[in-house]
Amino acid sequence: MVRPRHPRILEIGMLATAVVAAACERDAVRPEIAQPPRVSAALLKSGSLDFEPLASSFTCTVSGGDAAAPLALPAGFRQTIVAREGDGGSLGNWDMNTLNETGPDAGRYLYRTTEIGSNGQVIVTDLRTSTTRVLATDPSWGSLDGIVWTPWGTLLIGEERSGGRVLEVDPRTGAWHAVPAFGLRAHEGLRFDAQGSLYGISETGNGHIFRFVPDRRNDLSSGRLYALRLLAPNAAKTGEAEWVPVDLVAFGNDSDAAAAAVGATTYGRPEDVEIATSTGNAGAQTLFVAVTSEHRVLAVDLREPRGGADHASAYVYDYVKPGLNTTSAFTMPDNLALDAAGNLFITEDPGGNFNGGSGKTTGDDIWVATPSAGGALQAAATVARFASLTDCDAEPTGIYFDQGGHTLYVNIQHRGGDGVDLALAVTGAK
């Protein structure tokens, strides 16, 4: 049995009653699936998240799949719909999620973005009252994707389009303003480190990885933007690297052009980024980056043995990659979420029937990469399939763990059938 380990999340199979519940849950969420060979737990961290990985992707349907249970899950897990497209006037193409991570009601409100061309929305669901409303919208907002709760209690959202902006939104009033110092580009993942620096990417075929160091902590109005550059360029695009400053002013805030001017390393469609400090997890010295068209997840070690404000060092290595620690079944990683034990959950976005695609017969998957016991600069020890969509048209988006690690939130975007996007909470058997 592959056992990705987690100290508190999702208790499974601990009592005989839970075993019975797990059997009922298995029948509810998926048909019987042959299980893969057991893998030694000696390589995995201690904890209580045990699941039997799905042996293969689910054979999906083109009519929306199971509307009540869109995900095929391992035995013992349950999925609950917490919001539907249309609730509170919400529009569709739901993308990334975050909770209010700090404050007196921390964890009560689930925020998400809409990936539509104009009149984008930030939607909030009150998990206590089960009500959903539009927090903020603007005709100029388009292709909203990334979202993150800031250390000072606001929301940052990013536009995933050419010349896209990052916007700061007040979670109480919906008031907003742009954050030009982070640059204009196709934004997706957004994450802060423990020192208050903000990381992101440019989601293009020759995209870059960025780091923004503000002049004043908890203030993004001014600072210095850096791009990641390998010290010795190579075909694998891994190894020793440095953060080099870019001149946004010289390029009209076009951060891709500014990064190219200093020879920053490019990757094929970097999309989401994840770092443990976002949800209070361990391992805060590593930035994970999903590189979609290269079918791999990178890890960027952020420790700076050489120091220096303008040439801070980093190290880039493959964390998940077919032929390294998984197979070709792992394809086009998109969104990332760390649990409290450092297990990295990864969604796929290979496309399919949606937007004119054709021939897809299996659903997109959610994988789990477990950390190696070898310490820093080590690829994931195991990569296991955690979930699979029952709908050929849809994709899973916005995976996000609550801070206690008990609940994984995920959106089901552009579903077939009725076409209604869903927000799910995935938990273990009680």
Side-chain angles (χ1 to χ4, degrees):
M1 178 186 291
V2 176
R3 288 193 170 111
R5 302 292 187 158
H6 195 298
R8 296 171 60 192
I9 181 175
L10 314 178
E11 301 83 1
I12 299 172
M14 300 300 292
L15 300 172
T17 53
V19 173
V20 174
C24 296
E25 187 70 13
R26 176 193 62 208
D27 293 339
V29 299
R30 65 176 176 91
E32 292 293 335
I33 297 177
Q35 301 300 330
R38 294 176 181 269
V39 177
S40 169
L43 298 176
L44 308 179
K45 297 178 69 174
S46 62
S48 60
L49 172 57
D50 293 353
F51 70 90
E52 198 77 22
L54 305 187
S56 61
S57 299
F58 192 87
T59 301
C60 57
T61 70
V62 295
S63 58
D66 187 335
L71 289 172
L73 293 167
F77 286 78
R78 64 186 64 197
Q79 53 196 302
T80 304
I81 298 172
V82 297
R84 290 178 170 83
E85 176 187 342
D87 290 351
S90 60
L91 301 177
N93 274 21
W94 290 359
D95 212 308
M96 304 288 267
N97 289 304
T98 191
L99 290 168
N100 56 320
E101 296 179 350
T102 56
D105 284 323
R108 175 174 175 174
Y109 300 103
L110 180 66
Y111 302 89
R112 69 189 66 89
T113 53
T114 58
E115 195 177 9
I116 54 180
S118 62
N119 292 294
Q121 298 177 332
V122 176
I123 303 162
V124 57
T125 297
D126 185 333
L127 298 174
R128 188 178 300 171
T129 64
S130 300
T131 57
T132 296
R133 64 185 178 90
V134 177
L135 169 68
T137 184
D138 192 87
S140 72
W141 291 1
S143 301
L144 300 183
D145 196 328
I147 187 170
V148 67
W149 185 260
T150 70
W152 54 95
T154 64
L155 295 163
L156 288 186
I157 60 175
E159 296 178 306
E160 186 197 2
R161 61 181 178 180
S162 178
R165 303 163 294 175
V166 163
L167 313 164
E168 186 170 11
V169 179
D170 187 317
R172 299 163 301 170
T173 67
W176 66 278
H177 61 270
V179 183
F182 198 47
L184 301 177
R185 58 185 181 273
H187 295 277
E188 186 160 330
L190 300 165
R191 283 293 183 267
F192 288 93
D193 66 16
Q195 290 71 46
S197 296
L198 176 63
Y199 295 86
I201 53 80
S202 53
E203 206 261 282
T204 68
N206 292 297
H208 301 95
I209 302 170
F210 292 94
R211 176 189 203 178
F212 179 74
V213 181
D215 291 332
R216 296 171 295 278
R217 195 178 181 94
N218 298 347
D219 181 356
L220 301 178
S221 62
S222 65
R224 197 68 186 266
L225 185 67
Y226 299 80
L228 189 68
R229 182 175 69 188
L230 290 170
L231 297 183
N234 58 84
K237 293 188 281 189
T238 57
E240 292 284 349
E242 60 186 349
W243 295 101
V244 293
V246 302
D247 186 352
L248 282 179
V249 174
F251 293 91
N253 267 27
D254 182 334
S255 43
D256 275 326
V262 297
T265 303
T266 61
Y267 294 93
R269 282 183 60 198
E271 297 207 34
D272 200 9
V273 298
E274 178 67 304
I275 190 170
T277 51
S278 176
T279 48
N281 305 318
Q285 296 298 325
T286 303
L287 176 75
F288 297 97
V289 183
V291 185
T292 302
S293 65
E294 295 178 12
H295 310 290
R296 59 176 172 161
V297 176
L298 295 175
V300 182
D301 187 85
L302 300 174
R303 288 173 294 183
E304 301 173 3
R306 294 193 298 275
D310 287 343
H311 291 276
S313 63
Y315 190 85
V316 182
Y317 59 102
D318 285 315
Y319 193 70
V320 177
K321 184 180 179 181
L324 174 67
N325 50 10
T326 188
T327 70
S328 60
F330 178 88
T331 183
M332 302 192 76
D334 189 348
N335 292 167
L336 307 173
L338 280 165
D339 71 15
N343 299 312
L344 184 68
F345 285 62
I346 308 162
T347 68
E348 293 181 324
D349 181 16
N353 298 323
F354 179 63
N355 274 350
S358 62
K360 189 163 80 168
T361 58
T362 56
D364 296 356
D365 295 334
I366 301 175
W367 299 78
V368 183
T370 61
S372 170
L377 309 184
Q378 299 291 316
T382 62
V383 183
R385 184 183 285 105
F386 173 71
S388 190
L389 273 173
T390 64
D391 179 359
C392 297
D393 291 335
E395 67 170 286
T397 63
I399 50 172
Y400 174 87
F401 270 100
D402 69 347
Q403 288 185 288
H406 298 287
T407 304
L408 175 68
Y409 294 99
V410 56
N411 297 325
I412 310 301
Q413 189 187 82
H414 53 69
R415 293 175 51 246
D418 60 18
V420 173
D421 288 0
L422 302 173
L424 304 180
V426 178
T427 58
K430 300 296 184 182

